[in-house]
Amino acid sequence: MISRSRRRMVATMGAVSLGGAMGVSAPMVRAQASAGKYPNRPIKIIVPLAPGGGSDITTRQIATHLTERLGVPVVVENKPGAGGSIGTHAAVRAPADGYTLLMLSSSHTCNAALRELPFDSINDIEPITLLKREALILVGSPKLPASNLKELIEWARREPGAVTYGSSGVGGISHLSMEHLAALADIKLNHIAYKGTGPALQDTMGNNIHLLFSSVAAVVPVVQDKRVAGLAIADERIPALPQVPSFKEAGVPEFRSGFWHAIAGPKGIPPEIVARLNEELRAILQLSDMQQRITAEGSQSVGGSPEQLMETIRADIAQWTDVVRKADIKAL
C-alpha cells in the first residue's frame, strides 16, 4: 500500500512534470488565467498631471470608449506633481495586471533627461500604444524684427543673448525644444520661464518676449489673427496655417520635436492583456468622434505597436538628454 505522504509526493511530481512538459511555469499559468478573464473589475488610468489639461481631456475621452468596449468601468485618477513623476511612480509601482494604466506624454521623456527619478523611465514601463501626436510651432511677437526663421537666426548670431523666449517652465518641452533649435542654429537665446504656456503666450502677444514654442492648438487663432507671427512648424505644414513653413523648408531640417500622448502601464503586464488593450485603443482612435476631436485640436492619431511606442520613448530621452547636457540645464 502506498503511504499518504508518498501519494502527495507522486501527485506533486506529476504536476511539476506536466508543467515542465508544457513549458509553462506556475506564474505563467496564473497570468494566462488572469488574461483569459480580463477585464473583470474596474480599470484605472493615472494621469500624472492636473485636471483640465490636454492629457486629462484625452484620457477621459479614451476612458469613456474603453468602458463601453470592455464592459467594466474605466476611471481616471489625477496624480499631479514633480513634473508628472509622482503619478508615474504610483503607476509603475502598481501590480502589473492590466488594471492600472498610465497616460504618458512627451513630458515623461523630458523628466527622464532632466531629473533623478525614483523609477526607470524605460525599464519600468510596459508600452501599449501611442495615441496621438501634436505639432510644435515657433511663434514670434508682433513686432519681432525678423519676418522668417532665417532672419531670426541671423539676428541672434549678430546679438547673442538679445533674443528672449518664454517657456512653460524649466525642463518642459517648450524649453528643451528652444535649446534644441539654438544648438542646431548655433545661436544663444535668453530664456524666461513662466508658470505655464498661457502667461508666456500673453507676453509674446504683448511684445514682452520675442519667441515661444507652443502646441499648434493653443495658437492657431492668434496666428490667424496675426497677434503673433508663425515662424516654423515641426514636421510639415498644416491646413489650418498653410502660410507657416516647416522647419525643413525654413532651413533647419534637423529639428525634431512635438507633443505626444500614449497609454502604458507597469512593466510585466501579461502579453495577452497588452495585445487586447492595444487592439481596443487602436480601434477607438479610428472612431469618427475621436478622429474629429483629434483633427480639430491640430493633432494626428497614431496607434501603432508597443514596440513603436518604446522606440519613441528611447529616442526622445536620448535627444533631450543631449540637449540638457549641452545647454547645462538644471532642474529647479
Side-chain angles (χ1 to χ4, degrees):
M1 179 178 292
I2 301 175
S3 67
R4 182 178 301 174
S5 60
R6 180 165 176 77
R7 284 198 300 270
R8 284 199 301 267
M9 181 179 70
V10 171
T12 302
M13 291 177 64
V16 171
S17 297
L18 180 60
M22 296 176 64
V24 180
S25 66
M28 288 179 66
V29 171
R30 289 194 296 271
Q32 289 170 353
S34 174
K37 297 185 293 183
Y38 181 86
N40 56 21
R41 54 189 171 88
I43 297 171
K44 175 173 63 180
I45 306 178
I46 293 178
V47 177
L49 301 168
S55 294
D56 181 59
I57 293 170
T58 296
T59 307
R60 293 180 187 279
Q61 294 167 352
I62 292 293
T64 298
H65 285 297
L66 273 179
T67 296
E68 295 171 354
R69 298 179 69 89
L70 297 178
V72 298
V74 179
V75 299
V76 176
E77 180 178 338
N78 296 88
K79 282 185 174 293
S85 62
I86 290 176
T88 302
H89 192 205
V92 301
R93 292 179 61 192
D97 54 12
Y99 289 96
T100 299
L101 304 177
L102 170 67
M103 167 58 79
L104 277 186
S105 71
S106 39
S107 298
H108 177 76
T109 58
C110 296
N111 271 334
L114 187 66
R115 297 178 172 87
E116 288 292 331
L117 299 170
F119 55 88
D120 189 313
S121 299
I122 293 175
N123 295 318
D124 287 344
I125 297 293
E126 190 70 59
I128 296 174
T129 193
L130 268 168
L131 297 174
K132 63 179 184 177
R133 292 184 183 275
E134 184 177 356
L136 204 64
I137 184 172
L138 177 64
V139 298
S141 61
K143 296 182 180 180
L144 186 73
S147 60
N148 54 52
L149 185 59
K150 181 181 178 181
E151 292 180 3
L152 171 69
I153 291 172
E154 290 172 350
W155 171 37
R157 286 175 178 167
R158 288 195 307 269
E159 302 181 47
V163 181
T164 59
Y165 75 92
S167 79
S168 57
V170 173
I173 194 168
S174 57
H175 179 201
L176 299 189
S177 295
M178 195 71 80
E179 291 300 331
H180 175 44
L181 174 61
L184 292 173
D186 192 24
I187 56 177
K188 183 174 178 57
L189 305 173
N190 186 8
H191 177 220
I192 300 172
Y194 289 78
K195 293 182 178 179
T197 301
L201 179 58
Q202 288 297 321
D203 268 7
T204 306
M205 291 189 293
N207 295 296
N208 295 314
I209 57 174
H210 296 115
L211 302 171
L212 174 69
F213 262 120
S214 171
S215 68
V216 168
V219 297
V220 164
V222 294
V223 174
Q224 291 175 334
D225 294 345
K226 298 184 178 180
R227 284 181 282 170
V228 294
L231 297 173
I233 192 168
D235 298 327
E236 58 188 30
R237 295 187 189 226
I238 62 171
L241 300 172
Q243 77 280 14
V244 181
S246 68
F247 275 93
K248 182 178 180 180
E249 294 171 316
V252 188
E254 304 91 347
F255 181 83
R256 188 185 73 85
S257 186
F259 295 96
W260 52 261
H261 290 88
I263 294 292
K267 188 69 175 179
I269 297 175
E272 297 87 351
I273 293 178
V274 172
R276 172 78 186 281
L277 290 169
N278 178 273
E279 178 183 4
E280 297 292 354
L281 289 166
R282 292 171 69 177
I284 288 169
L285 291 174
Q286 298 305 312
L287 297 175
S288 59
D289 69 316
M290 288 299 298
Q291 287 283 320
Q292 290 170 4
R293 289 172 178 172
I294 290 171
T295 301
E297 67 185 27
S299 300
Q300 293 180 327
S301 60
V302 181
S305 68
E307 291 76 18
Q308 289 170 320
L309 171 54
M310 184 54 76
E311 287 172 9
T312 297
I313 294 172
R314 289 181 183 276
D316 277 16
I317 290 176
Q319 174 173 310
W320 299 136
T321 298
D322 186 57
V323 169
V324 167
R325 179 182 59 80
K326 289 180 178 176
D328 193 26
I329 299 171
K330 306 296 183 185
L332 296 179

